[in-house]
Amino acid sequence: MQDFLKDLNPSQYEAATTIEGALLILAGAGSGKTKTITARLAYLIDTVGIPPSNTLTLTFTNKAASEMQKRALGMIKSTTMHPPLLCTFHKFGLLFLKFYITHLGRKANFILADSDDTKRIVKELNGDLAPLALVLSEISRYKNSQISPNDALKNAHNDTYKHIAKVYGRYTEFLLQKNMVDFDDLLLLPLEIMQQNPEIAKEVSQKYQYIMVDEYQDTNPLQYLLLKCLCLTHQNLCVVGDDDQSIYSWRGANIQNILQFSEHFKGAKIIKLQENYRSTHTILEAANKLIAHNKERLGKELKSTLSKGKKIEILHASDEQEEVQKIVKNIQKLLDSGVSPKDIAILFRLNALSRSLEEGFNRAGIPYILVGAIRFYERSEIKDVLSYFRLLINLDDDFSLMRIINKPKRGIGKTTLDKIAQLAQKHETSIYSLFVEDSAQGELSGILKGAISKKAYDSIKEFFSIILSLQEDLKQSSLHFIDAFEQKIGLCEAFNQSNEAIDRVSNIEEFYGVYKEFIKQNPLMELEDFLNELALRSDQEDVEMRKESKGVEGVSCMSVHSSKGLEFDYLFIIGLEEGFFPLVREDSNIEEERRLGYVAFTRAKKELFLSYVDSRFYRGNRASLLPSRFLGESGVSEFRRFKEKAKEESSADSFKRGDCVMHKIFGAGRILEVSKSGKELKLKINFGGLVREILSGYVTKV
């Protein structure tokens, strides 16, 4: 038996050595899924003899892919073969498009627009006619549902959605003109290519005979359809996931993909990994009890391989100020006993709850890291450098040009920029092409020369001269190009003359270092490959990179969503009140909220602290709150489930005009009117002058 197989428990061993046909590895939190999936890959290559090039392993983050590849290669004895392809879905889509995008009549030197680019483009096309967040989410939803701009317009049910469909059409046209693709395109376009060209789907499926997918519960409809295409010639698909950790429906993840895996891939085998190597028995017992209240699940129960551990501690406070005082006191005790701050974390369901924590930590002098601050690659100065790089690749990229033509300042004002942009649009060409045409006309004539001042024209001429010379520098040496870039553009020098110089210059220099390191490690890669790699980095990876590179150490404060995949010795979960965790709204899914609770509980290794308050200040109001039902469902307290209590009190038309009621957000109020709304009552309530209509299930009688 191979050494790496000896370390596996019976369930892990069975999963790693089952290689033919569809397989679902139902892996609970902390059950060694990474160890199992990497052992399976090593077994396929080193024991069975499958060529690495015939395997494909898909993950959701570059960090996970890198970790898996490192582990798998450490198990494989042969060092002469090319490494197996182990990457994110989006990276696979990027590689696929490099080979096949020409089948859509598009060039292979496309640029990947990151989320910030997409936001800027859509904002410009949208104006202020619809909420930007709604427009962005709807465009993403259309793409992930394979709905074209025309179909979106036909099915628009009101003026807002008609407008969004038109913006979607203009956005699609913009990306085509600029030869750009966005994140959704990395899934959508490969699927379209395979659906329109069955011979390509067959070719790719035959190449990748053994496919593995990590975090399968997070896949969306497009990813499921992609996998169906990749499995066109075989059924050797192994997916690893946990239906109890499906928490991304708002991103389009479809829990039915994992729940119905056996129906989607006939004859599929299911192996459950239920031994947990992370948390104490006490913590897992609470997590198991909590998730058992969900009906939509395949069913499993985690068993701890560790000791019973300490009792879960409940922290009860009157308000958020007292709450943070209690948390600070407990954390100070841990720090005084020698616990490192990096082993402590605080989780919350809503980011807004971090404010009081920050204030409390600052007062107490406790170091902390707030995960979710501005991402490094979204900082203004870094986006400037990226825009320069993009323009070097594609001189017709007006989107990037408009951002940096006057950075550093070259005396080209907004009025001039607007004029040249309008001229380019009018003549259906790019600003650079317009300039080239003008240059050919001689000194006295030309479209641009006649529209802007000589000073502005000379500045534009000098700008393009620098860009063209940098293109030559890039051809000579990818590594030394960055020195020529700073010398000729002078971004650091420009910032050195401003008050905010230190941070911005250090950020730019750090970015130059990232570029140099990339070129050293990938000497055959080009500038566009570097840009596309950067665009694929996720929020969490970016945070990790900055923490490691700058040596930051502190208590981690983050949302439950951000904590997935992480673990901490000492964990505090705050805001365990009805309305905050679970988040209770008319469109909320209590089963997903409960899965979020399960994810939060299972991040804790040694000790778990659960905090709730009687009242909390939120959105300008102080609300009286009830303890979260999760405290009762997990068995850590004797609280009755709030929903059951609400139903009891709202049954038999128990609400009437004049009754005093309590709401989780708005506090105390008096009923003005009562009417029927389906099976429930609709109540018009006066909350101290604020009148709202609320369903009866969301209030309790005082």
Side-chain angles (χ1 to χ4, degrees), residues 499-528:
N499 294 328
E500 61 217 312
I502 298 172
D503 273 352
R504 295 199 170 198
V505 170
S506 64
N507 285 337
I508 292 171
E509 287 173 344
E510 185 176 336
F511 178 76
Y512 288 165
V514 171
Y515 170 80
K516 283 182 177 178
E517 191 60 30
F518 176 85
I519 295 301
K520 282 177 187 173
Q521 291 182 7
N522 306 278
L524 299 178
M525 293 283 198
E526 296 181 358
L527 184 58
E528 67 190 73

Side-chain angles (χ1 to χ4, degrees), residues 54 110 121 157 159 162 165 175 243 246 249 255 259 297 312 340 364 374 423 430 500 545-547 558 565 582 648:
N54 289 146
F110 59 84
I121 298 166
H157 57 276
D159 289 342
K162 281 177 186 171
L175 294 183
D243 53 329
S246 180
S249 65
I255 192 174
L259 294 178
R297 61 191 296 255
I312 294 171
S340 169
I374 298 175
L423 281 170
S430 69
E500 61 217 312
M545 187 209 78
R546 283 186 286 126
K547 279 165 68 177
M558 68 185 82
E648 287 167 17

Side-chain angles (χ1 to χ4, degrees), residues 136-152:
L136 289 165
S137 69
E138 284 303 295
I139 288 175
S140 183
R141 185 178 67 82
Y142 291 145
K143 288 195 173 194
N144 281 283
S145 303
Q146 286 189 288
I147 297 170
S148 70
N150 284 338
D151 288 339

Side-chain angles (χ1 to χ4, degrees), residues 21-24 261-263 265-270:
L23 171 66
L24 166 59
F261 183 77
S262 298
E263 296 167 37
F265 298 91
K266 299 298 179 190
K269 185 174 184 178
I270 299 177

Side-chain angles (χ1 to χ4, degrees), residues 320-334:
E320 64 272 19
Q321 277 79 33
E322 188 185 347
E323 177 181 56
V324 77
Q325 285 171 12
K326 289 192 172 187
I327 288 168
V328 163
K329 190 177 176 183
N330 277 280
I331 288 177
Q332 198 59 62
K333 269 188 200 172
L334 292 171

Side-chain angles (χ1 to χ4, degrees), residues 134 138 141-142 147 149-166:
L134 176 66
E138 284 303 295
R141 185 178 67 82
Y142 291 145
I147 297 170
N150 284 338
D151 288 339
L153 189 57
K154 280 179 198 170
N155 297 320
H157 57 276
N158 60 32
D159 289 342
T160 299
Y161 279 82
K162 281 177 186 171
H163 168 72
I164 292 171
K166 287 173 185 173

Side-chain angles (χ1 to χ4, degrees), residues 242-298:
D242 184 0
D243 53 329
D244 292 332
Q245 295 188 72
S246 180
I247 58 172
Y248 294 115
S249 65
W250 51 278
R251 269 192 205 162
N254 184 3
I255 192 174
Q256 297 306 320
N257 286 353
I258 191 167
L259 294 178
Q260 297 177 7
F261 183 77
S262 298
E263 296 167 37
H264 294 157
F265 298 91
K266 299 298 179 190
K269 185 174 184 178
I270 299 177
I271 297 172
K272 297 179 182 180
L273 305 185
Q274 300 180 103
E275 288 183 65
N276 176 285
Y277 297 88
R278 177 191 297 161
S279 309
T280 65
H281 173 79
T282 303
I283 292 168
L284 288 187
E285 186 179 30
N288 283 330
K289 283 181 179 176
L290 174 64
I291 201 65
H293 286 82
N294 272 5
K295 293 181 176 65
E296 213 172 19
R297 61 191 296 255
L298 294 169

